[in-house]
Amino acid sequence: MSTHPTTLERGPECVRDVMTTQVLTVQPGMTLVELDRRLTVAAIGGAPVVEDGRLLGVVSRADALSALLEEQLDAARISAFYASPYPLSLSSLEHLARDSRQLADRLSKLRIQEVMTPAAETAHPDETLRAVAQRMRDKRIHRLPVVESEKLVGIITSLDLVGAVADRGLGL
């Protein structure tokens, strides 16, 4: 006879049943280029931001893309400013080159801490999957760090919830 309680004996399934415990974390001072490399290698869309063992927030590809789009809008404004049907003066070309270098420099130095979402939302390992799923849906969140005694112990994602539904049915 098994010594582990069944799902029916324990009640509704909880976060610890489906969360990922081997969590890729990133540091706030990493560049967006470094972030993209880490997320690509791990084949994930976001990660908790941790410094000195403390959860600071969450960053996703969408956060990085949003910041890059802002910079791209700056580039378009620079381009439009210098757009002219007439040949540009040497002075104008020098300004364009300077502005373009500054934009490229900003992009290469953009850090996770500038685009991350501060850790306002977390889950607890004993929270029910239903409660977490409802909160993620209501707040349009795709991943929640799982914290116990102020320590990051895992992460639960929308894909984890979909997996639970696919494996166990809709009775979460």
Side-chain angles (χ1 to χ4, degrees):
M1 185 164 144
S2 172
T3 59
H4 298 290
T6 66
T7 301
L8 291 176
E9 292 168 343
R10 265 192 329 188
E13 287 192 73
C14 59
V15 169
R16 78 171 68 250
D17 296 326
V18 299
M19 71 183 192
T20 300
T21 56
Q22 298 296 315
V23 182
L24 171 84
T25 62
V26 294
Q27 295 74 44
M30 290 174 65
T31 66
L32 296 188
V33 171
E34 293 169 315
L35 171 68
D36 186 58
R37 276 192 216 120
R38 300 268 322 260
L39 296 180
T40 299
V41 167
I44 57 176
V49 182
V50 176
E51 186 172 55
D52 299 326
R54 203 174 95 243
L55 178 66
L56 300 179
V58 177
V59 68
S60 68
R61 276 207 165 96
D63 297 328
L65 183 60
S66 202
L68 293 174
L69 287 174
E70 281 297 316
E71 296 294 337
Q72 195 174 38
L73 285 173
D74 281 351
R77 284 190 279 272
I78 290 168
S79 217
F81 180 78
Y82 291 106
S84 170
Y86 306 106
L88 293 175
S89 68
L90 181 57
S91 160
S92 292
L93 288 173
E94 287 170 347
H95 285 287
L96 177 59
R98 184 200 67 227
D99 292 347
S100 297
R101 277 193 306 275
Q102 287 174 347
L103 178 62
D105 190 46
R106 278 198 327 257
L107 280 174
S108 71
K109 292 179 180 174
L110 207 51
R111 305 280 173 194
I112 288 173
Q113 63 201 14
E114 298 171 66
V115 303
M116 72 181 198
T117 302
E121 289 292 327
T122 60
H124 188 274
D126 295 327
E127 246 183 295
T128 67
L129 293 183
R130 179 180 296 280
V132 167
Q134 287 173 339
R135 190 156 37 111
M136 289 173 74
R137 180 199 60 207
D138 293 346
K139 297 190 179 219
R140 303 180 55 82
I141 298 171
H142 294 281
R143 67 193 55 77
L144 282 177
V146 181
V147 177
E148 187 170 33
S149 301
E150 297 183 25
K151 182 181 175 210
L152 180 70
V153 295
I155 192 164
I156 187 163
T157 68
S158 50
L159 193 55
D160 295 326
L161 294 171
V162 169
V165 169
D167 293 345
R168 298 166 184 91
L170 295 173
L172 297 179

